[in-house]
Structure formats: structure tokens, C-alpha cells
Amino acid sequence: NYISFKDYVRAEVKLKACLQKDPYYAPALCDLSSLQIRRFQYEAALKTASTALSIDSYDPAANYYYGLSNLALNNITDAKDGFDIAAANPEYRVAAYVELAKIYFRSKEYSKAIEYAEKSLISNQLNVDAMQLLAVIYRLQNNATKADELIKAIKAIEPLNHFADFENYYS
């Protein structure tokens, strides 16, 4: 698998060759969509993920990449739909919940952002992205105790974490 070896150019060639033989092979469509997102080709990624979803509307990978492309294109409602369905699968649950938490954070719906970040932490207690988001929310809510606890937890996991260093400096 060229993607796991980060040989994205060769991976794209192989995926396109695969899709020449079977244009509706969902795993290849999902991998191609991920590569298109990596190359900032969000319209193409959305089209590719949508093709995979036309085959199986509950495919977790296709829904996750559908969510990411829609998020990049500022289609927030569609992004939420994709992440909600992707979160049903353990492989994508942590990442999908973090993305949902970020969406709610951006819209200043902090209680929903906390809810999804905590759901992410239930699936992976060492999820630094969720911890960082929670630390910022708690700081914004003037809850220094919880924010400090999270910063200490982040430092325990990643001693060189620059976010934690900045938050310590900022407070």
C-alpha cells in the first residue's frame, strides 16, 4: 500500500489504474479522495467521496472524507452529516468526533464542542487534539482549574508540546 508508505504520487497512479478497471471500487475511491484532500483538491475529493457514498451510503471512510471536503468547502451541514456517520465506526470515531467538536467550537457552541471532544476522549484517552480543544474552551470559559488539568495531561503525554507551553505562558 503506497499510501501507508507516503508514496502519494505512485499511490495516485495505482488508484487511478484500479478505477480504470472498476470505477466503482469503493476502497480505491476513498483512498483517492484522501489523496485529493491532501492536495487541496476539495471539489474533486467531494465528487470522489460522493461516488463512493453512492455505492454504500454508510461507508465510514467515504463519509469521513466527504465530511473533510465539505468542511473545506464551508458546507458545514453536509460536513456534520459525514462526520456523524463516520463516527459510528471505531476506526474513524476519534477523528470524526474531534472534527465535530472543532465545528461547534468555531460556531461558539461550546457545550456541544465539549460534548464531542469528550466523546473523542472516551474512544482514545490520549487524544491530544481533543485535550487541546477542551483546554482552550475551558480557558475561554474562565475555568482555569480544568484548563490547567488538561495542560498537565498533555505535557505528560507529549513533554515537548508547544501548545501546552504556549497555554502555560499565556495564562
Side-chain angles (χ1 to χ4, degrees):
N1 186 344
Y2 293 108
I3 292 176
S4 60
F5 293 117
K6 296 186 182 351
D7 188 352
Y8 302 124
V9 174
R10 192 174 296 165
E12 185 172 2
V13 169
K14 296 292 185 182
L15 289 169
K16 287 183 176 179
C18 173
L19 291 170
Q20 286 290 330
K21 292 179 182 178
D22 182 0
Y24 297 103
Y25 184 58
L29 289 166
C30 292
D31 286 346
L32 182 59
S33 181
S34 77
L35 291 177
Q36 290 166 329
I37 289 169
R38 186 174 284 283
R39 296 178 73 196
F40 307 109
Q41 299 170 336
Y42 301 116
E43 296 278 348
L46 179 59
K47 184 178 181 212
T48 305
S50 295
T51 302
L53 289 173
S54 72
I55 299 160
D56 177 5
S57 58
Y58 292 100
D59 182 308
N63 273 291
Y64 183 72
Y65 298 124
Y66 176 82
L68 285 178
S69 354
N70 273 302
L71 183 60
L73 296 169
N74 208 29
N75 302 327
I76 303 303
T77 303
D78 291 335
K80 286 179 187 177
D81 289 342
F83 293 135
D84 277 332
I85 295 171
N89 184 287
E91 185 177 352
Y92 290 91
R93 183 170 297 143
V94 173
Y97 281 151
V98 168
E99 291 301 325
L100 285 165
K102 289 177 186 177
I103 289 170
Y104 288 114
F105 174 77
R106 286 185 201 113
S107 63
K108 295 185 175 20
E109 296 179 63
Y110 297 137
S111 61
K112 284 281 236 188
I114 289 170
E115 175 187 339
Y116 281 103
E118 287 178 346
K119 282 183 179 184
S120 177
L121 286 171
I122 289 170
S123 297
N124 178 1
Q125 296 173 350
L126 303 177
N127 184 351
V128 173
D129 290 336
M131 288 182 197
Q132 290 178 169
L133 185 58
L134 284 170
V136 170
I137 293 169
Y138 290 136
R139 177 176 46 82
L140 291 173
Q141 292 179 334
N142 296 318
N143 190 339
T145 306
K146 283 189 176 182
D148 288 341
E149 287 174 12
L150 285 161
I151 298 301
K152 287 176 185 170
I154 291 168
K155 288 297 275 184
I157 297 166
E158 295 180 357
L160 301 177
N161 184 290
H162 297 301
F163 169 86
D165 291 338
F166 175 78
E167 285 293 318
N168 279 332
Y169 167 79
Y170 191 73
S171 63

